Amino acid sequence: NAGVTQTPKFQVLKTGQSMTLQCAQDMNHNSMYWYRQDPGMGLRLIYYSASEGTTDKGEVPNGYNVSRLNKREFSLRLESAAPSQTSVYFCASRAGLDTEAFFGQGTRLTVV
Amino acid sequence: DQQVKQNSPSLSVQEGRISILNCDYTNSMFDYFLWYKKYPAEGPTFLISISSIKDKNEDGRFTVFLNKSAKHLSLHIVPSQPGDSAVYFCAAPYYNQGGKLIFGQGTELSVKP
């Protein structure tokens, strides 16, 4: 059972480059989320998608865009990477409001 | 505005003793709370949850207590084991924002043999 799959696992970008982080879930979940984890800051919500066809900003959306491609897939795009976007990124999904979220293994991104 | 707060960045306990991790929230509309555990280089994994209609939920060695009047919840681990050493996050969803799920800053628990 794959659960939530994120690609890539590691990435190094130069400042100004763009990239897309991919996330797919096979649990037929309605909601999907992108978080970043930084030391001392916990897990901060970047964007989320409550259901297929909708996306909303989270706590730290600046510099990012998202696409809910279908029910399974939710991608995160950095159009022009900055060193401040060096972080570990996690994708998550969950079925409904009173259910737990399942997380992917994370993408470690370094912007130099 | 950090609406879910974990004010202790770290906690160290002896194996076999109780670990108590705390979480405070400011939004009285929160109705459901979750605890997650995270090991290095892995994604967070769900540990236990509690609905606001309860004040306690227990699962094996893990118990979560909710004090709605104080807007405070705590996670008790008894007895603590070295394998419990990890970062613990509390989380809460916004029901009126499509289930937007936010997390606290985390507490790093170290259980020493």
Side-chain angles (χ1 to χ4, degrees):
Chain A
N1 218 358
V4 179
T5 303
Q6 290 181 235
T7 54
K9 287 187 169 46
F10 301 94
Q11 184 72 48
V12 179
L13 287 179
K14 293 182 178 178
T15 297
Q17 285 185 318
S18 62
M19 80 161 294
T20 300
L21 280 65
Q22 307 286 354
C23 175
Q25 51 92 7
D26 62 2
M27 297 172 281
N28 201 38
H29 286 171
N30 291 316
S31 302
M32 297 186 73
Y33 306 82
W34 276 105
Y35 294 89
R36 59 179 288 174
Q37 185 192 12
D38 302 292
M41 304 295 286
L43 289 162
R44 292 184 293 170
L45 181 63
I46 305 171
Y47 271 93
Y48 68 106
S49 171
S51 60
E52 185 179 358
T54 70
T55 60
D56 286 286
K57 294 178 180 179
E59 302 164 283
V60 288
N62 292 344
Y64 305 95
N65 285 300
V66 290
S67 295
R68 184 75 183 266
L69 304 167
N70 46 55
K71 193 169 187 180
R72 288 188 66 247
E73 298 172 286
F74 188 39
S75 62
L76 178 72
R77 182 159 178 84
L78 288 70
E79 289 291 350
S80 179
S84 61
Q85 294 177 306
T86 293
S87 188
V88 182
Y89 292 85
F90 290 100
C91 178
S93 71
R94 64 183 187 138
L97 292 174
D98 286 345
T99 62
E100 70 264 32
F102 293 81
F103 281 80
Q105 293 290 346
T107 297
R108 184 172 292 276
L109 176 67
T110 302
V111 183
V112 297
Chain B
D1 178 27
Q2 187 76 27
Q3 299 208 17
V4 177
K5 301 178 187 180
Q6 295 175 258
N7 293 316
S8 298
S10 62
L11 174 68
S12 182
V13 300
Q14 209 66 31
E15 181 179 5
R17 306 295 290 268
I18 184 171
S19 296
I20 300 176
L21 297 98
N22 295 304
C23 179
D24 297 296
Y25 61 97
T26 57
N27 191 331
S28 57
M29 299 295 287
F30 287 149
D31 219 21
Y32 181 68
F33 302 89
L34 308 97
W35 282 94
Y36 279 79
K37 177 178 180 179
K38 186 185 180 304
Y39 292 118
E42 294 184 9
T45 54
F46 171 73
L47 196 54
I48 192 169
S49 62
I50 188 165
S51 166
S52 62
I53 62 172
K54 295 185 173 182
D55 54 17
K56 175 183 172 181
N57 189 28
E58 193 171 351
D59 183 1
R61 297 186 296 114
F62 302 90
T63 303
V64 56
F65 295 92
L66 176 61
N67 182 333
K68 291 185 286 292
S69 60
K71 295 192 180 70
H72 176 83
L73 58 155
S74 60
L75 175 68
H76 292 212
I77 307 173
V78 184
S80 301
Q81 298 173 355
D84 296 329
S85 297
V87 178
Y88 290 78
F89 294 97
C90 62
Y94 287 82
Y95 284 91
N96 62 346
Q97 295 186 42
K100 174 179 168 181
L101 182 64
I102 62 167
F103 285 76
Q105 303 96 313
T107 297
E108 183 171 11
L109 174 66
S110 176
V111 180
K112 301 192 182 305

